């Protein structure tokens, strides 16, 4: 063989290079872009990007960084440290520092060359500085930022990559990432982040597939330096699967190469001289780019011998020389070399590498070695050295607001704790301190379950009588964490407040009172909530502390909103936002957007609610809280979109938020939106699945009163639409007495309206049954009293009152029209159509056919526009029974056959399954109803179709076209 092992040219990737060039051209024109290059290991992602970037016009400033497999969970911002180092090297230290804000930059914590960082800074500052730095650098020449191996990205790098992708507007910057497919589980957070970026339109994808045979032949020709043998190229194409790295490896072996890939790759290093092999093993253990000094320190070879070894490795193209040092050419080769090392030798090399890192970091202090030092000492089994390294690295991660990484490192400390003799002496702190810091890091990272576990372990080690304030602080933290999981936590917070009486630390007591008021508000314990929030605000005012004022004002604003006092609520929320912003309290700052949006929605100001929640979501992304507060802001945005009838938009908001795997309580609220829309569209399968998920959550959850109220209303609506008034009435009776005290006012008003519809359905099903008539009258009286107990006055609640009046006061057409007008004015299109349909029924009952016709036309147009299939079917059925079908909509447009035999939407659904040969039990399972209810529906179907058997009913349905209707 005369050629190189590595092809000197890139083959078969012209379209992909053109896509990268197009993205770069767009960035130069002022439309920044993000490109993700993905594919299996060895497919040529790095080669493609390097080739494409090297050919870009305009002399771009190319800044590169890569993610590391070893220690990736605990080392924050790894690739962006390399990007910054690249920028300083290209521009010079002074010129790079001039692009940053004066007075200290947070980026100085990542790269000391940029100057000292401020003592404290918020979680968004580092993100904003990186965004600003790249934007200002791009004012002089285009910038390309390349982040390799995103599948190993730490959480902070993942968030920064996503932040840049969403916010690089108007700058000539192209952001490129590479990711190896097949590396991560489907639920890994990196996949969720990349999926969310793809849905938001912030990223384009280039997926590298295998090379075709003709491209493999061209690659072999380039490697061998001569035309390929056709038979050999066919064999290598088949064996390599079109993977370029495998093609190159197969090109160096004989006609009977080893069977597995690892052996194939290792075959390239078996004949290396000992110094070269040891240097290669050093780089495999390090898992990172190494300079001469570090390779020498670990390998222990003399300078000349090391130089020869590195020359040999680069000559064989196993190692590449870069500006900062040397790296193994491909991760697959690194992994094969690493895995081939005997475990004792591997541990010894980890120890030597850790010692070299420690010596290099010693002048800068104990935290300078970072996570890599902790991870290498751990891999070496040197736990007495790994534990303090992890402890100091965790403190550095906390300073950088890298809470996921801090939590990982603290959990590493806890894991090593029982493995060493004197852990307290090694770090100067007890295990309880580590647990408390881990619980706090989990809270900041949105990892609530882990936080509860660590907080509980810390509390188990404390004596509240001896350390009441510390116990109070931990109980308060655990209560807030539990609140995020299921809306609970009140017992912990009440105990915490009791342990911090008025004579204790006013600051601690104020924080605990605000936190308790917060969870009491979520549980609708409003009297206690108001008392505790007022006490917290009084303490904050006496201390002049914005950090204490903000959460207290937030809760008091919410209490105003609950009473419908939107002006006072808006003022309190605005002041809470100001105080939270001044104090750096991102949680309260973002929650103020969420709650104010919710109250605007409750008042029927849906468009305002959508825009305010959208603003809050953008702020959550900027502050790195897209998963926690951002998911609840997505809920606050999705609910008014649901009421406005913008269902597809609402579902996109829900899907994007769920992709971030939010805490269980937040996920439940998001699924409620999706379940409600599925029900309104008649999508029984997805809707049933979502309801089961939410119900399982509710059964295991102590709090979450608002979510449970919505779930009850969904179950009630479902029972009404399934023509099951008895089950619906049981649901109404179960919650009639407790709803006014435990539910939001709007949900209580909705329960009253749905309950009135249930009683009307019960009367219609048994018009001559005096017992049913008496029960219905009693129930309506109770519902009227319940609705009268709602003291809040908003346009939405007024619309519910008008609807209740129309349902219960004789059904005069004027009453129905007043209710329809109220919903129409609010922009709630679905409720408008429902009430118009009921108004049309009232008109038909009084033989007012023109009145029924006009109302059904409007209702049907709304239902068709929304895609509300069950409502549209109900409208068409009413039109057919009133002989108005031709006037309301033609059968072809309605999607309903000309003769529906008076079947309800639920009966049509049962009929389709019956005609498919399903038994009653099978139909019940598929539609999530009881077998007895199915039997009742089947009896009604046979009667309406005039059929004597199920077979005859199915035949009649086919003849009349009933089974051709849209479900």
């Amino acid at each position: 063989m005369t050629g190189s092992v590595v092809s000197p040219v890139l083959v078969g990737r012209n379209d992909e290079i053109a896509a990268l060039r197009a993205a770069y051209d767009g960035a130069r024109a002022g439309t920044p872009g993000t490109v993700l290059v993905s594919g299996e290991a060895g497919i040529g992602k790095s080669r493609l990007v390097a080739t494409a970037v090297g050919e870009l016009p305009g002399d771009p400033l190319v800044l590169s960084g890569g993610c590391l497999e070893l220690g990736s969970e605990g080392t924050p911002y790894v690739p962006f440290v390399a990007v910054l180092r690249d920028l300083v090297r290209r521009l010079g230290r002074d010129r790079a520092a001039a692009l940053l804000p004066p007075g200290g930059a947070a980026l100085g914590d990542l790269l000391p060359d940029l100057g000292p960082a401020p003592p404290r800074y918020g979680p968004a500052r580092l993100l904003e500085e990186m965004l600003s730095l790249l934007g200002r650098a791009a004012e002089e020449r285009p910038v390309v930022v390349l982040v390799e191996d995103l599948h190993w990205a730490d959480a902070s790098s993942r968030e920064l990559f996503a932040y840049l992708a969403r916010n690089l507007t108007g700058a000539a910057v192209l952001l490129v990432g590479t990711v190896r497919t097949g590396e991560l589980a489907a639920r890994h957070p990196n996949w969720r982040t990349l999926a969310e970026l793809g849905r938001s339109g912030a990223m384009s994808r280039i997926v590298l597939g295998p090379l075709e045979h003709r491209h493999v032949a061209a690659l072999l020709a380039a490697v061998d330096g001569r035309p390929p043998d056709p038979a050999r190229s066919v064999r290598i194409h088949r064996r390599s699967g079109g993977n370029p790295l495998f093609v190159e490896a197969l090109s160096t072996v004989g006609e009977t190469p080893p069977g597995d890939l690892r052996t194939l790759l290792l075959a390239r290093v078996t004949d290396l001289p000992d110094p070269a092999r040891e240097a290669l093993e050093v780089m495999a253990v390090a898992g990172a780019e190494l300079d001469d000094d570090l390779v020498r320190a670990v390998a222990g070879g003399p300078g000349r011998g090391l130089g020869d070894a590195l020359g040999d490795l680069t000559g064989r193209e196993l190692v590449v020389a870069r500006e900062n040092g040397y790296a193994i050419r491909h991760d697959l080769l690194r992994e094969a070399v690493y895995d081939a090392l005997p475990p004792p030798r591997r541990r010894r090399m980890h120890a030597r590498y850790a010692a070299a890192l420690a010596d290099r970091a010693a002048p800068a202090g104990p935290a300078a070695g970072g996570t890599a030092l902790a991870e290498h000492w751990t891999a070496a089994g040197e736990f007495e050295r790994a534990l303090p390294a992890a402890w100091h690295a965790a403190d550095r991660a906390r300073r950088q607001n890298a809470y996921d990484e801090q939590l990982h490192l603290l959990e590493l400390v806890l894991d090593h704790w029982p493995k060493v003799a004197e852990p307290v002496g090694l770090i100067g702190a007890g295990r309880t301190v580590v647990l408390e810091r881990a619980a706090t890091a989990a809270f900041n990272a949105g990892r609530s379950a882990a936080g509860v576990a660590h907080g509980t372990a810390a509390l188990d080690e404390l004596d509240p009588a001896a350390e009441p304030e510390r116990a109070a602080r931990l109980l308060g933290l655990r209560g807030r964490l539990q609140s995020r999981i299921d809306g609970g936590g009140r017992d912990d917070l009440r105990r915490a407040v009791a342990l911090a009486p008025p004579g204790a630390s006013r600051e601690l007591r104020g924080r605990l009172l605000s936190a308790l008021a917060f969870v009491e508000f979520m549980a609708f314990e409003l009297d206690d909530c108001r008392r505790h929030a007022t006490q917290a605000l009084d303490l904050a005012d006496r201390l002049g502390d914005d950090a204490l004022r903000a959460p207290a004002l937030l809760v008091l604003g919410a209490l105003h909103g609950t009473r419908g006092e939107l002006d006072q609520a808006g003022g309190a929320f605005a002041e809470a936002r100001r105080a939270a912003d001044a104090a750096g309290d991102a949680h309260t700052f973002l929650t103020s957007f969420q709650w104010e949006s919710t109250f605007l929605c409750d008042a029927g100001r849906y468009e305002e609610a959508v825009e305010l929640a959208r603003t809050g979501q953008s702020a959550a992304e900027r502050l790195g809280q897209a998963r926690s507060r951002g998911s609840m802001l997505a809920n606050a945005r999705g609910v008014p979109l649901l009421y406005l009838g913008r269902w597809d938009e609402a579902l996109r908001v829900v899907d994007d938020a769920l992709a971030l795997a939010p805490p269980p309580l937040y996920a439940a609220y998001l699924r409620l939106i999706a379940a409600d829309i599925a029900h309104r569209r008649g999508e029984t399968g997805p809707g049933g699945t979502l309801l089961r998920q939410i119900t399982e959550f509710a059964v295991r959850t102590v709090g979450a009163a608002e979510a449970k109220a919505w779930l009850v209303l969904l179950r009630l609506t479902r029972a009404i639409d399934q023509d099951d008034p008895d089950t619906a009435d049981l649901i109404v009776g179960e919650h009639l007495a407790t709803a006014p005290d435990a539910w939001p006012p709007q949900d209580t008003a909705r329960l009253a309206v749905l309950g009135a519809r249930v009683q009307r359905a019960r009367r219609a099903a048994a018009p001559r049954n005096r017992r049913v008539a008496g029960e219905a009258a009693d129930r309506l009286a109770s519902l009227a009293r319940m609705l009268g107990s709602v003291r809040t006055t908003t346009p939405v609640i007024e619309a519910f009152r008008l609807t209740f009046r129309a349902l219960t006061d004789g059904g005069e057409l004027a009453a129905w029209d007043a209710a329809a007008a109220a919903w129409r004015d609010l922009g709630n299109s679905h409720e408008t159509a429902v009430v118009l349909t009921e108004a049309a029924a009232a008109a038909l009952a009084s033989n007012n056919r023109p009145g029924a016709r006009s109302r059904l036309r409007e209702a049907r147009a709304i239902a068709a526009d929304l895609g509300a299939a069950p409502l549209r079917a109900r409208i068409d059925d009413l039109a057919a029974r009133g002989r108005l079908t031709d006037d309301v909509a033609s059968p072809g447009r309605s999607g309903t056959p000309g003769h529906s035999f008076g079947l309800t939407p639920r009966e049509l659904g049962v009929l389709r399954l019956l005609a498919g040969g399903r038994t009653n039990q099978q139909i019940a399972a598929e539609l999530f109803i009881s077998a007895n209810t199915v039997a009742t529906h089947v009896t009604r179907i046979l009667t309406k179709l005039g059929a004597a058997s199920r077979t005859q009913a199915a035949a009649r349905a086919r003849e009349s076209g009933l089974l051709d209707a849209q479900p």
Side-chain angles (χ1 to χ4, degrees):
M1 186 179 72
T2 60
S4 167
V5 174
V6 178
S7 170
V9 296
L10 181 70
V11 299
R13 302 301 190 195
N14 292 339
D15 291 344
E16 290 83 356
I17 288 177
L20 269 167
R21 171 65 184 272
Y24 172 73
D25 290 341
R28 290 182 72 193
T31 306
T34 300
V35 178
L36 185 74
V37 181
S38 62
E40 66 179 7
I43 204 67
K45 300 179 292 295
S46 297
R47 183 71 180 276
L48 168 74
V49 172
T51 301
V53 169
E55 297 173 352
L56 294 176
D59 187 28
L61 177 63
V62 180
L63 309 173
S64 302
C67 305
L68 305 180
E69 179 180 17
L70 183 64
S72 62
E73 289 183 83
T75 307
Y77 303 113
V78 168
F80 291 100
V81 172
V83 166
L84 288 171
R85 190 179 294 117
D86 230 359
L87 185 140
V88 170
R89 185 174 59 249
R90 303 291 180 83
L91 299 185
R93 177 176 176 176
D94 293 341
R95 192 173 165 201
L99 300 177
L100 291 168
L107 291 175
D109 256 345
L110 303 189
L111 192 66
D113 285 349
L114 295 174
R120 294 183 61 185
Y121 52 86
R125 178 164 174 177
L126 191 144
L127 309 182
E128 291 170 344
E129 285 185 4
M130 180 65 80
L131 178 69
S132 173
L133 179 65
L134 294 176
R136 294 192 65 186
E139 292 173 0
E140 300 181 12
R141 58 196 281 206
V143 174
V144 177
V145 179
L146 170 60
V147 180
E148 295 255 33
D149 298 321
L150 275 169
H151 45 279
W152 288 328
D154 57 279
S156 296
S157 296
R158 187 167 64 238
E159 290 179 1
L160 180 50
F161 186 89
Y163 178 81
L164 293 175
R166 285 189 291 257
N167 294 284
L168 277 169
T169 56
V173 179
L174 176 64
L175 182 62
V176 181
T178 67
V179 63
R180 187 194 300 184
T181 54
E183 284 296 299
L184 304 174
R187 295 182 63 82
H188 192 283
N190 286 1
W191 281 141
R192 292 195 295 268
T193 298
L194 297 173
E196 186 242 341
L197 282 174
R199 276 193 300 273
S200 70
M203 179 178 68
S204 58
R205 297 285 294 268
I206 295 176
V207 180
L208 294 186
L211 296 176
E212 300 175 12
H213 170 251
R214 60 192 176 95
H215 295 137
V216 169
L219 181 59
L220 287 170
V223 169
D224 295 342
R226 63 176 183 269
D229 173 64
R232 178 170 175 263
S233 67
V234 168
R235 286 194 299 273
I236 289 181
H237 176 254
R238 183 177 64 252
R239 290 214 58 213
S240 68
N243 184 299
L245 181 68
F246 305 166
V247 171
E248 293 173 358
L250 286 165
S251 73
T252 66
V253 298
E255 291 300 306
T256 57
D260 67 272
L261 174 61
R262 179 171 300 174
T263 306
L264 182 65
L265 292 171
L266 288 175
R268 300 177 60 185
V269 304
T270 53
D271 60 343
L272 284 174
D274 288 344
R277 182 184 296 109
E278 184 164 7
L280 190 67
E281 290 169 347
V282 167
M283 284 183 269
V285 166
E289 187 175 299
L290 297 180
D291 57 29
D292 289 345
D293 291 341
L294 272 176
V295 177
R296 184 177 296 107
V298 184
R304 182 173 179 181
L306 178 64
D308 292 343
L310 292 173
D312 198 358
L313 291 171
T314 54
R316 295 173 186 243
E317 298 185 90
L318 297 170
V319 166
V320 293
R322 296 174 178 163
E323 292 189 43
N324 292 320
Y326 299 88
I328 294 178
R329 177 175 170 252
H330 200 283
D331 280 326
L332 282 179
L333 178 60
R334 186 194 67 77
E335 292 163 10
V337 172
Y338 183 85
D339 291 341
L341 283 170
R345 178 168 173 76
R346 188 186 305 164
R347 287 194 295 271
R348 286 196 301 272
M349 296 189 76
H350 274 294
R352 283 157 60 183
Y353 183 60
L357 282 179
D359 289 343
R360 175 170 286 192
T371 306
L373 190 59
E375 296 286 359
H376 283 287
W377 282 130
T378 297
E382 298 278 356
F383 303 120
E384 289 193 352
R385 295 179 174 179
L387 188 146
W391 174 253
H392 294 304
D395 191 59
R396 183 179 180 85
R398 176 198 56 78
R399 174 182 166 78
Q400 296 171 345
N401 302 300
Y403 299 118
D404 282 279
E405 293 81 0
Q406 182 196 6
L407 176 60
H408 166 72
L409 288 159
L410 290 170
E411 288 177 337
L412 198 62
V413 171
L414 292 167
D415 183 56
H416 294 339
W417 198 268
K419 302 173 185 176
V420 302
E422 296 290 339
V424 176
L426 289 172
I427 65 172
R431 185 171 180 272
T432 309
V433 173
V434 182
L435 287 165
E436 185 173 0
R437 289 195 186 182
T440 303
F443 180 86
N444 291 326
R447 302 271 299 279
S448 301
V452 168
H454 293 312
T456 300
L459 284 163
D460 288 344
E461 296 186 359
L462 275 183
D463 178 4
E467 299 181 89
E469 291 192 12
R470 190 176 184 190
R473 187 170 61 245
L474 272 165
L475 283 166
L477 178 60
R478 189 174 69 175
R480 294 172 70 192
L481 285 159
Q482 192 65 46
S483 174
R484 289 183 176 183
I485 293 173
D486 59 13
R490 295 189 299 286
D491 289 343
D492 272 351
L493 283 159
R494 285 170 181 152
R495 286 177 58 201
V497 169
L499 285 169
S505 163
R506 289 190 295 178
E507 182 181 353
L508 173 61
R509 181 170 172 80
R511 284 203 309 271
L512 293 172
L513 285 168
S514 290
L516 177 56
F518 184 98
V519 298
E520 285 170 338
F521 177 78
M522 297 301 294
F524 292 95
E525 297 175 353
L526 300 187
D527 290 337
D528 288 341
C529 169
R530 183 175 294 105
R531 175 165 53 85
H532 291 136
T534 302
Q535 290 174 7
L537 184 59
D538 179 60
L539 279 171
D541 287 340
R542 277 189 275 160
L543 292 170
D545 189 338
D546 275 338
L548 295 180
R549 282 175 54 79
L553 285 165
L554 173 74
V555 174
L556 291 171
L559 290 168
H560 283 302
T562 301
R563 295 194 295 268
E565 301 163 355
L566 291 189
D567 289 341
Q568 295 94 319
F573 285 134
E575 178 60 17
R577 270 196 290 277
R578 184 208 63 74
D581 191 31
D585 180 356
H587 181 271
T588 300
F589 180 77
L590 295 172
T591 303
S592 70
F593 285 103
Q594 174 201 334
W595 284 6
E596 186 172 3
S597 174
T598 298
F599 288 119
L600 287 170
C601 179
D602 289 347
R605 291 158 63 173
Y606 301 134
E607 295 285 0
E608 293 177 65
V610 169
E611 289 310 309
L612 188 64
R614 191 198 311 275
T615 301
Q617 271 193 288
S618 297
E621 292 174 356
R622 176 173 59 83
L623 293 168
Q625 294 204 21
R627 179 172 58 196
S628 51
R629 287 293 92 191
S631 58
M632 283 307 289
L633 282 156
N635 174 73
R637 182 176 162 198
V639 172
L641 287 171
L642 161 67
Y643 294 145
L644 286 167
R646 290 155 58 179
W647 294 348
D648 289 337
E649 185 180 349
L651 290 175
R652 284 194 298 272
V653 170
V654 167
D655 289 343
D656 287 349
L658 286 174
L660 297 175
L665 177 62
Y666 304 170
Y669 280 111
L670 292 163
R671 290 192 177 102
L672 279 164
I673 297 173
D676 206 327
I677 292 173
H679 174 75
R680 293 172 192 236
R681 282 180 163 167
E683 297 168 347
T684 55
T689 300
L690 286 163
L691 274 180
R692 279 199 302 273
Q693 291 174 334
I694 303 162
T695 301
E696 289 169 6
F697 166 79
V699 167
R700 301 192 305 266
T701 301
V702 176
E706 191 170 353
K708 290 181 178 180
W710 194 350
L711 177 60
V712 168
L713 295 172
L714 264 177
R715 289 175 48 229
L716 177 54
T717 307
R718 190 180 177 93
I720 293 171
D721 290 347
Q722 289 175 348
D723 299 320
D724 192 354
D726 292 337
T727 297
D729 189 52
L730 286 174
I731 295 172
V732 172
E734 183 181 351
H735 298 279
L736 185 59
T738 58
D741 297 325
W743 288 14
Q746 179 174 308
D747 290 341
T748 302
R750 182 168 181 79
L751 177 64
V753 167
L754 292 174
R757 286 179 176 142
V758 170
Q759 304 319 310
R760 188 175 60 170
R762 293 181 69 205
R763 291 291 304 271
R768 297 183 181 85
N769 189 316
R770 293 182 180 178
R771 177 184 60 80
V772 171
E775 290 174 355
D778 290 343
R779 186 73 89 203
L780 285 172
S782 298
L783 289 167
R785 286 193 296 271
M786 181 187 72
L787 184 58
S789 72
V790 175
R791 301 303 178 196
T792 304
T793 301
T794 68
V796 173
I797 290 176
E798 183 58 25
F800 277 124
R801 292 186 193 280
L802 289 170
T803 307
F804 186 84
R805 192 173 304 145
L807 283 162
T808 57
D809 290 353
E812 295 293 332
L813 200 54
W816 283 114
D817 286 345
W823 291 115
R824 193 184 293 110
D825 290 344
L826 287 167
N828 190 324
S829 49
H830 188 267
E831 203 66 38
T832 300
V834 169
V835 172
L836 283 169
T837 304
E838 292 171 322
L844 281 174
S846 61
N847 204 29
N848 182 353
R849 290 171 56 80
R853 182 184 301 114
S854 63
R855 290 163 179 80
L856 284 176
R857 279 177 178 165
E858 183 182 354
R860 196 186 187 288
I862 293 171
D865 184 58
L866 291 173
L871 177 58
R872 190 177 64 184
R874 198 182 318 148
I875 292 166
D876 290 343
D877 181 62
L878 181 59
R881 287 189 281 115
R883 299 185 303 282
L884 296 171
T885 297
D886 292 338
D887 296 325
V888 174
S890 70
R893 282 184 290 139
S894 70
T896 304
H899 191 3
S900 65
F901 297 93
L903 294 174
T904 67
R906 171 55 69 195
E907 288 165 353
L908 280 169
V910 171
L911 177 58
R912 288 189 186 92
L913 296 174
L914 179 153
R918 309 286 209 288
T919 65
N920 283 7
Q921 288 289 353
Q922 290 170 330
I923 294 171
E926 189 152 344
L927 297 181
F928 308 104
I929 56 180
S930 69
N932 288 338
T933 301
V934 173
T936 301
H937 286 317
V938 170
T939 300
R940 292 175 182 170
I941 290 167
L942 297 180
T943 301
K944 291 179 179 181
L945 294 180
S949 67
R950 297 163 74 99
T951 302
Q952 192 177 69
R956 189 155 298 174
R958 292 189 183 93
E959 292 167 2
S960 62
L962 272 173
L963 302 183
D964 299 329
Q966 294 294 320

